Amino acid sequence: MKKRLFKLLSVCMAVAMLSVLMSACGGSGGSGSPEEGKSTDSSAKEESAAVDDGKPDTSKKVVLNWYLLGDAHADTPKVVAEWNKMLEKDLNATVKLNFTTWNDWQTKYNLLLASGEKVDMLFASSWADFFKFAKQGAFLDLKDLLPKYAPETWKEVPEQDWKDVTIGGKILAVPSTYPEYTPDGLVYREDWREELNAPEITDLDSIEKYLEAVKTVKKVTPIKGKAWNEVNTLFHNYYDFKNIGGDSGVIVAKSYDTPRDVVAYPFTMEFEEWVKRMKTWADKGFWTSNTLSIQQESGDFIKTGTGAVYWRNAPGASGFIADIEKNHREIKKMGYFPFTRFHNYAVPNLGINNGMAIPKNSENPERSLMVLEKLRNDPKYYNLMTYGIEGENYVLNDKGAIVSPPPGKDPKKGYGIASWGWRYSKNEHPSSNRWEGEDKLMEEFKAASRPDIFAPILMDYQPVKSQLAAVNQVYQQFGMPLMMGLVPDVDQALENYRSKLKAAGVDAVLAYVQKEVNAYADEKGLK
Amino acid sequence: MGYIVISVLALLCLLPFWLIISGSFSAEDDIIRDGFRLVPNHFSIDAYKAVFSNPMQIIQAYEVTVGLTLTGTILGLFFTSMAGYVLSRKDFKYRDKLAFFIYFTTLFSGGLIPWYILIVNYLDWKDSYLALLVPALMSAWNIILMKNFMKSIPDSIVESAKIDGAGEFTIYWKLILPLSTPGLATIGLFLGLSYWNDWFSANVFITTESKYPLQFLLYKILASAAVLKTDIAGNLGADFKAPAETLKMAVAIVVTGPIIFLYPFVQRYFVKGLTIGAVKG
Amino acid sequence: MILPALLFFIVFSYIPMVGVYYAFTNFSFDGGLFGSPFVGMQNFKFLFESGALYNLTKNTVLYNLAFIFVGNLLQLICAVFLSEMAGKWFKKTTQSIMFLPFFISFVLVGAFVYNLFNFETGSVNALLRGLGLQPYDFYLHTAPWKYIIVFFNVWKGLGYGTVIYLAAIMGISDEYHEAAKIDGANIFKRIRYITIPLLRPTFVLLILLSLGGILKGQFDLFWQIVGNNGMLYDATDIIDTYVYRSLAINFDIGMGTAAGLFQSFFGFVLVVTVNWIVRKVQKDYALF
């Protein structure tokens, strides 16, 4: 009996597995995707051709597959259900809204796009590798679809923002429309500064005096957790060294005013001066000797009274300070020094700092775009998906600011998802509980605004990728300890770092970046 | 002497765990300021509150994990022991070649992307429990260990059974399996642990929250708590902040607890003296 | 009866193996796996041209050898001790306790290491100061890290590995021990002449199994303990951490796959060689 049962079982197994095997072989491994991509392309064209007269055809009911970054809120299923009711009525479509969760979201982006899964829209961003994916052909060209299926968006997104997402003549994303400044800066304990009579923080010397006072009088290590970001961003901003096309490692433009002057900064006099100074900072104990190994945020130590300084960008600082004002009342006053003050200008983020894109394997790009159009422009849609259900998750106060959760509700009702991709300043409401210094900062940035000329430079690095990898490696092994002043002998370490960079091929990388920058500057007519 | 060595080692293993328990009941600020303590300075259950902020979800996740672990372990044991048995038979002509065929898979792998394409595009297992269950059923490591355990069963048993007219499957099911209980318990334990601990496949394949297994749900809670501290989250409204440091420890406790209680149960199978006589009788 | 297993490995291991082809292409989403341009060995260049490969390979191999041998020996000893112990309660409890570290994530292991060894508040330095000795800044010196890393890895795997040896001991027929007892052998002699020789195949097998991964490192272990600390890399850098850092700014599927292929190939050659030698010496111990 058992024997027969087993035979049956194993035969079934074998058949099942074989059929799987066959189907897999038939598709010859993993290359089925390009063809599928093509077929959706052509069907898209057919459809748009068929209904060229008047309104887009929505007679066929479709289910769209969307991906957002991060996590859903506990109430998101309710919100999405509400949204789908509206969508079904207006556009005869529903959306299955997926979240990547914050675990390894980069890996998941790679998988979603590389596998050619059928995704109709996902969050895209310059800080989530938009340019790399775009250049490698992961997204659908929206040029022909936009005027027809998202006319309002097409009109209202500024020309420059469309240009930023146009790569090789194709428009590959819908950028958010929400001018924003996120310059780096230092959050610090202002109450201690006043108490210690340290000078107001306005430049590098006053930062040094403040740190010294905290260390010697308060006996507190000012930057107790990770200190790398503090030092690295301070360095770049102090000398006005600009990253090119995202994080460009040791290659920088020497200043905003001379975009074509590209250097490998470890070879500059400025760098030499800097590392000498940082050695004295490290020796004075402004951070701990194990700062490069520690995994804890320096901000955590501020909250416990054992730290004084933390690196944050402006909105991040605002959130951090608001949190301290609310939950750590023993800390009387926090201050913020944005690094924009070193050279008195601020650069707004690219539109595509947040945005939405359609992967090339989407089956219903037209409808997906129509949903986005609604989402961006119709306040009913916008508020629902951005702030949750009115009365339940938020209310608007008399100044039009969002109060979330509504007074008297469980704090867990306070709503938030990564809605940044469809943000539109026209429909955005400020939050009622934020750090009061934030508005003033934003005004300061706006007044000193200059356009971003470095971020849109597309860096591919393909021809020099092995040199770049080697340079990265040297940078992390020798450059970081040197910049943190952790080496016993600065001169020797500097010389060693420079020779290791040369050996790794830093010149080839520099030449490549220089070439790309020149081409870009010629095209844009920069000096 | 043996007692001393074992006691010292056990202490070395117990102490950190105790520190984690203590840490999970500490106030977040104390952990940041002072690090680990044997006894919490300020007793706090904030971390557990954050873990159980949505108790229904945790219960659901426990159900998913227990279900997967049980199914996976039983099926996995069945297939693994069959394969191990075949490889352990000295009269099986291709055993070396097949052993190599199986071992080879531990050396080379195509990486995550083709794997993902296979599961999602060809098997269509995205967001399906099958993606969590099937790929972990067998591993070369377990099969080869199984084969090794079964090697110590004397050939004479198989031969005499054959003379009695027993079929291959009967021999395996009636004779070999009862004789390999320590091996089965070990592999069962390993299989169970791998299902219990697996969060990565859920991370990649599961998109519906109610299908999350426990480990992944907890990792997700941890990752969100960590992200709330970064610049990315500068714009995320977060009135409800989880205590990230103590949360790590509470998560370790929530995950480990049930397994620790289960382990003595497994130990029952580590008994000596299953001799040939005992089976034949 | 082995058919399900074979099909399983064909589907879930051999078919996805086509992915090693990524190592030879310049990946693009347009082309996918087979449509992307073929670039030969170009993706391997970053491993060989940096000049660091020798040190990396050395570190990776030595760490793994230490993990394998120290780990297995200790697990074997524990299993032997445990199996000979009389107190049932003690035996079971200690065995359970030894499994605990297996559940502690590397993130927490990293936190422990930091709490033990940091200069300002670490327990070790607090102890040194308490004894009136000079505190030692672990994070600026490479020497102690080899031992710290090996210790924590062995510690984490102790319970898991012990179970394998324990099961192997349980498989040893009691008849041998009974016979030895009658002959008047004491417990040490029985361990020396019965248990240990009978465990030798398992020991050899486990080592052979591990050798294939000799160039693959425990990324999480090293990353959580050492982090970004370039000061310690001479002693702590392994291929996995190196590759991770190299590709941190510009991740490239081709280069990532190439590094993995290099590791696999090295392990493959090693295992086949060692297995061949083992086969010559004692056919029964060989893996295949």
Side-chain angles (χ1 to χ4, degrees):
Chain A
M1 177 62 206
K2 257 179 196 153
K3 193 174 170 183
R4 217 177 296 154
L5 189 75
F6 168 72
K7 260 195 177 160
L8 196 71
L9 198 76
S10 61
V11 168
C12 287
M13 272 290 287
V15 170
M17 286 197 157
L18 263 177
S19 63
V20 164
L21 196 69
M22 291 308 185
S23 67
C25 290
S28 72
S31 68
S33 31
E35 281 160 48
E36 282 157 318
K38 263 177 231 151
S39 73
T40 40
D41 259 4
S42 58
S43 74
K45 268 170 216 137
E46 270 164 39
E47 202 172 319
S48 58
V51 288
D52 239 356
D53 50 314
K55 282 195 154 187
D57 174 26
T58 57
S59 56
K60 201 177 122 224
K61 184 178 172 350
V62 296
V63 179
L64 303 167
N65 199 22
W66 281 34
Y67 268 89
L68 286 186
L69 211 61
D71 289 316
H73 183 269
D75 285 340
T76 300
K78 255 194 268 173
V79 171
V80 172
E82 195 63 29
W83 187 42
N84 276 329
K85 260 188 251 160
M86 290 154 61
L87 282 174
E88 195 157 5
K89 206 177 91 216
D90 294 343
L91 301 172
N92 199 19
T94 55
V95 173
K96 181 173 183 330
L97 190 63
N98 301 298
F99 289 84
T100 63
T101 75
W102 291 113
N103 305 67
D104 291 313
W105 56 269
Q106 291 98 331
T107 312
K108 275 182 239 178
Y109 259 58
N110 263 316
L111 287 175
L112 281 174
L113 294 170
S115 71
E117 216 176 318
K118 291 180 182 52
V119 176
D120 297 299
M121 180 145 319
L122 52 65
F123 176 78
S125 151
S126 51
W127 48 267
D129 281 336
F130 167 76
F131 287 113
K132 194 172 112 189
F133 289 139
K135 199 155 191 187
Q136 294 180 352
F139 300 126
L140 192 68
D141 181 10
L142 306 176
K143 206 176 193 171
D144 302 327
L145 300 176
L146 276 164
K148 183 162 174 53
Y149 296 99
E152 214 170 316
T153 307
W154 178 236
K155 263 199 321 257
E156 290 180 19
V157 171
E159 192 63 33
Q160 183 58 45
D161 288 0
W162 285 130
K163 266 191 200 148
D164 289 342
V165 293
T166 305
I167 290 154
K170 298 175 181 164
I171 296 181
L172 296 172
V174 181
S176 67
T177 309
Y178 184 73
E180 200 184 18
Y181 296 83
T182 56
D184 295 318
L186 288 182
V187 177
Y188 60 93
R189 284 199 65 163
E190 171 75 5
D191 53 348
W192 281 1
R193 188 193 65 75
E194 285 166 6
E195 183 189 330
L196 298 170
N197 260 325
E200 204 158 310
I201 291 183
T202 51
D203 56 12
L204 199 61
D205 291 327
S206 53
I207 291 176
E208 182 168 333
K209 287 210 180 80
Y210 172 75
L211 294 172
E212 195 149 11
V214 169
K215 179 71 189 178
T216 51
V217 185
K218 277 276 168 194
K219 306 274 182 234
V220 160
T221 304
I223 313 176
K224 199 160 173 215
K226 303 179 201 169
W228 165 251
N229 276 329
E230 280 81 347
V231 171
N232 187 39
T233 52
L234 187 58
F235 165 72
H236 278 83
N237 285 285
Y238 178 63
Y239 292 111
D240 199 23
F241 285 168
K242 309 300 287 182
N243 268 318
I244 299 160
D247 186 353
S248 53
V250 298
I251 312 286
V252 293
K254 240 183 142 182
S255 113
Y256 185 92
D257 301 313
T258 55
R260 286 174 195 256
D261 190 2
V262 177
V263 291
Y265 71 69
F267 296 91
T268 59
M269 282 308 294
E270 287 90 338
F271 184 70
E272 197 169 333
E273 176 189 88
W274 181 262
V275 292
K276 285 188 173 142
R277 188 159 188 166
M278 286 308 111
K279 170 76 178 157
T280 67
W281 285 27
D283 288 348
K284 285 178 190 164
F286 291 173
W287 48 81
T288 63
S289 58
N290 40 268
T291 182
L292 286 172
S293 289
I294 191 171
Q295 310 279 356
Q296 249 167 342
E297 296 287 324
S298 296
D300 288 347
F301 294 98
I302 296 184
K303 293 180 184 168
T304 61
T306 49
V309 169
Y310 188 24
W311 155 86
R312 290 281 79 178
N313 69 27
S318 169
F320 182 77
I321 297 173
D323 179 34
I324 284 195
E325 282 174 350
K326 203 167 162 196
N327 302 317
H328 295 268
R329 291 179 197 266
E330 71 282 0
I331 297 174
K332 287 190 203 69
K333 199 171 173 196
M334 296 296 301
Y336 184 64
F337 175 73
F339 294 148
T340 51
R341 290 186 193 153
F342 281 125
H343 297 276
N344 294 317
Y345 70 90
V347 171
N349 285 338
L350 288 182
I352 191 57
N353 194 46
N354 294 298
M356 301 298 280
I358 300 184
K360 69 174 166 49
N361 281 355
S362 162
E363 280 179 326
N364 292 293
E366 311 81 16
R367 208 74 65 86
S368 206
L369 215 49
M370 289 164 76
V371 174
L372 182 67
E373 165 100 340
K374 273 271 180 211
L375 192 52
R376 277 177 57 104
N377 298 303
D378 184 336
K380 229 174 74 188
Y381 279 76
Y382 190 93
N383 289 349
L384 175 70
M385 288 310 289
T386 311
Y387 308 116
I389 295 168
E390 188 164 11
E392 182 79 10
N393 300 111
Y394 76 96
V395 287
L396 287 170
N397 69 9
D398 47 359
K399 284 182 211 127
I402 293 283
V403 183
S404 177
K409 288 261 182 193
D410 186 344
K412 277 188 231 160
K413 287 281 168 194
Y415 198 77
I417 59 169
S419 59
W420 316 314
W422 60 76
R423 272 201 301 200
Y424 190 0
S425 45
K426 189 177 82 177
N427 292 321
E428 184 83 7
H429 298 277
S431 161
S432 65
N433 68 5
R434 40 195 237 142
W435 177 51
E436 55 178 27
E438 190 176 347
D439 293 337
K440 231 188 295 166
L441 271 180
M442 289 304 148
E443 265 161 46
E444 177 187 328
F445 298 149
K446 262 181 214 157
S449 184
R450 297 172 82 173
D452 193 342
I453 51 173
F454 294 101
I457 303 179
L458 277 186
M459 285 299 174
D460 188 13
Y461 294 115
Q462 208 57 256
V464 290
K465 65 182 184 181
S466 64
Q467 289 93 331
L468 179 72
V471 167
N472 272 342
Q473 160 58 32
V474 171
Y475 161 70
Q476 299 211 13
Q477 179 165 5
F478 301 100
M480 287 169 72
L482 179 60
M483 272 179 89
M484 298 307 292
L486 297 172
V487 295
D489 180 343
V490 174
D491 290 317
Q492 201 195 327
L494 181 64
E495 195 186 319
N496 182 38
Y497 181 35
R498 285 173 172 172
S499 68
K500 286 271 189 337
L501 280 173
K502 285 267 183 217
V506 72
D507 292 332
V509 183
L510 178 62
Y512 172 77
V513 176
Q514 181 74 65
K515 198 181 97 207
E516 297 289 301
V517 169
N518 285 346
Y520 173 82
D522 291 344
E523 187 193 326
K524 302 277 166 176
L526 298 174
K527 277 179 283 182
Chain B
M1 190 189 78
Y3 284 92
I4 300 171
V5 173
I6 296 290
S7 305
V8 169
L9 285 173
L11 199 67
L12 276 178
C13 296
L14 184 64
L15 189 70
F17 209 76
W18 174 254
L19 291 172
I20 291 178
I21 296 179
S22 155
S24 70
F25 284 109
S26 296
E28 172 86 352
D29 286 356
D30 288 347
I31 287 287
I32 292 168
R33 198 183 313 118
D34 310 324
F36 293 94
R37 283 285 158 99
L38 283 173
V39 182
N41 276 355
H42 299 91
F43 186 82
S44 155
I45 54 163
D46 283 356
Y48 289 94
K49 269 198 209 149
V51 172
F52 292 105
S53 65
N54 190 348
M56 270 319 292
Q57 213 183 7
I58 294 274
I59 291 168
Q60 219 167 28
Y62 260 118
E63 278 168 12
V64 171
T65 297
V66 169
L68 274 176
T69 305
L70 282 179
T71 326
T73 307
I74 291 166
L75 285 178
L77 260 185
F78 179 64
F79 291 122
T80 304
S81 58
M82 276 201 306
Y85 168 58
V86 173
L87 291 182
S88 76
R89 281 279 294 272
K90 293 195 181 63
D91 53 346
F92 180 54
K93 218 168 46 182
Y94 305 105
R95 62 194 273 259
D96 285 340
K97 288 205 179 68
L98 287 181
F100 179 76
F101 179 84
I102 289 172
Y103 179 69
F104 188 77
T105 61
T106 66
L107 293 171
F108 289 90
S109 93
L112 191 56
I113 294 173
W115 169 252
Y116 184 86
I117 293 175
L118 172 77
I119 304 265
V120 173
N121 292 7
Y122 291 103
L123 299 175
D124 202 16
W125 284 350
K126 178 109 189 188
D127 208 23
S128 155
Y129 289 134
L130 286 174
L132 308 184
L133 183 73
V134 180
L137 276 179
M138 277 180 261
S139 79
W141 167 265
N142 283 346
I143 289 179
I144 291 169
L145 270 186
M146 200 70 224
K147 163 200 157 189
N148 183 60
F149 288 135
M150 286 173 164
K151 236 167 48 181
S152 57
I153 296 168
D155 294 336
S156 54
I157 295 181
V158 177
E159 273 152 32
S160 61
K162 265 193 181 159
I163 294 165
D164 289 349
E168 288 293 343
F169 189 76
T170 318
I171 296 176
Y172 155 76
W173 189 256
K174 287 247 168 91
L175 289 172
I176 302 297
L177 281 191
L179 276 174
S180 343
T181 39
L184 287 173
T186 309
I187 303 299
L189 178 72
F190 290 174
L191 276 166
L193 284 177
S194 73
Y195 277 106
W196 188 269
N197 280 335
D198 175 35
W199 60 274
F200 189 74
S201 23
N203 178 32
V204 175
F205 295 118
I206 302 297
T207 50
T208 308
E209 271 200 35
S210 58
K211 288 185 187 169
Y212 287 167
L214 181 68
Q215 281 274 18
F216 179 61
L217 181 68
L218 295 173
Y219 273 103
K220 193 196 81 140
I221 295 174
L222 273 185
S224 321
V227 159
L228 282 178
K229 292 182 167 182
T230 65
D231 268 351
I232 297 179
N235 294 304
L236 270 180
D239 265 304
F240 183 70
K241 279 219 165 73
E245 294 302 318
T246 54
L247 193 62
K248 284 178 201 157
M249 298 175 217
V251 160
I253 301 298
V254 173
V255 167
T256 318
I259 285 277
I260 295 300
F261 290 112
L262 209 71
Y263 186 58
F265 180 76
V266 175
Q267 282 178 327
R268 287 212 326 216
Y269 294 96
F270 286 92
V271 277
K272 239 178 175 176
L274 283 170
T275 53
I276 308 157
V279 175
K280 274 208 161 169
Chain C
M1 275 158 83
I2 202 170
L3 201 65
L6 296 184
L7 282 171
F8 177 90
F9 285 111
I10 289 173
V11 173
F12 290 105
S13 298
Y14 282 94
I15 291 178
M17 245 180 242
V18 295
V20 298
Y21 183 67
Y22 283 128
F24 305 98
T25 64
N26 227 343
F27 182 79
S28 83
F29 293 94
D30 269 338
L33 178 55
F34 294 107
S36 299
F38 179 82
V39 293
M41 298 298 282
Q42 205 194 50
N43 287 326
F44 292 84
K45 256 170 46 187
F46 83 109
L47 285 172
F48 295 94
E49 279 183 350
S50 64
L53 193 64
Y54 171 73
N55 189 43
L56 286 171
T57 310
K58 191 183 85 187
N59 275 350
T60 317
V61 169
L62 289 181
Y63 270 113
N64 275 322
L65 286 179
F67 293 162
I68 294 169
F69 282 99
V70 178
N72 273 296
L73 272 177
L74 205 63
Q75 290 156 7
L76 189 118
I77 290 169
C78 280
V80 171
F81 281 157
L82 280 170
S83 72
E84 294 296 339
M85 269 174 191
K88 221 175 173 185
W89 185 84
F90 179 80
K91 189 165 145 181
K92 285 200 165 177
T93 321
T94 46
Q95 211 188 322
S96 299
I97 289 173
M98 286 200 294
F99 232 103
L100 289 175
F102 176 78
F103 293 99
I104 299 178
S105 66
F106 280 113
V107 176
L108 286 174
V109 173
F112 280 131
V113 172
Y114 175 74
N115 271 287
L116 280 172
F117 298 109
N118 79 70
F119 187 69
E120 286 81 9
T121 55
S123 315
V124 173
N125 278 321
L127 189 72
L128 287 176
R129 287 193 188 97
L131 294 171
L133 298 169
Q134 269 304 313
Y136 183 75
D137 203 336
F138 287 90
Y139 285 87
L140 291 183
H141 300 88
T142 50
W145 291 95
K146 304 185 206 55
Y147 306 102
I148 295 173
I149 287 173
V150 171
F151 173 85
F152 276 95
N153 190 62
V154 169
W155 167 81
K156 212 166 176 301
L158 184 61
Y160 197 92
T162 302
V163 170
I164 300 176
Y165 286 109
L166 213 51
I169 292 174
M170 296 307 157
I172 299 171
S173 170
D174 261 0
E175 284 168 8
Y176 296 112
H177 277 271
E178 296 303 327
K181 256 188 207 162
I182 293 165
D183 288 348
N186 66 15
I187 183 168
F188 293 107
K189 283 212 166 128
R190 273 183 278 135
I191 293 176
R192 169 78 183 76
Y193 293 107
I194 298 173
T195 314
I196 301 282
L198 284 171
L199 283 182
R200 200 178 295 142
T202 308
F203 185 76
V204 174
L205 173 81
L206 287 177
I207 291 194
L208 269 176
L209 276 177
S210 324
L211 280 181
I214 195 98
L215 269 197
K216 292 176 188 161
Q218 290 257 31
F219 175 79
D220 285 322
L221 171 75
F222 288 83
W223 184 248
Q224 294 296 342
I225 290 183
V226 178
N228 266 327
N229 200 336
M231 310 286 294
L232 307 180
Y233 286 166
D234 276 340
T236 62
D237 212 13
I238 56 169
I239 294 179
D240 294 79
T241 47
Y242 175 86
V243 170
Y244 177 81
R245 283 199 317 274
S246 301
L247 303 183
I249 292 187
N250 190 34
F251 181 77
D252 186 282
I253 295 169
M255 284 157 88
T257 313
L261 198 56
F262 170 72
Q263 293 172 308
S264 295
F265 188 73
F266 196 95
F268 173 72
V269 171
L270 188 73
V271 165
V272 170
T273 319
V274 174
N275 190 66
W276 182 76
I277 296 169
V278 170
R279 241 187 130 78
K280 290 259 148 168
V281 179
Q282 171 61 272
K283 190 174 178 305
D284 260 3
Y285 289 3
L287 200 51
F288 39 79

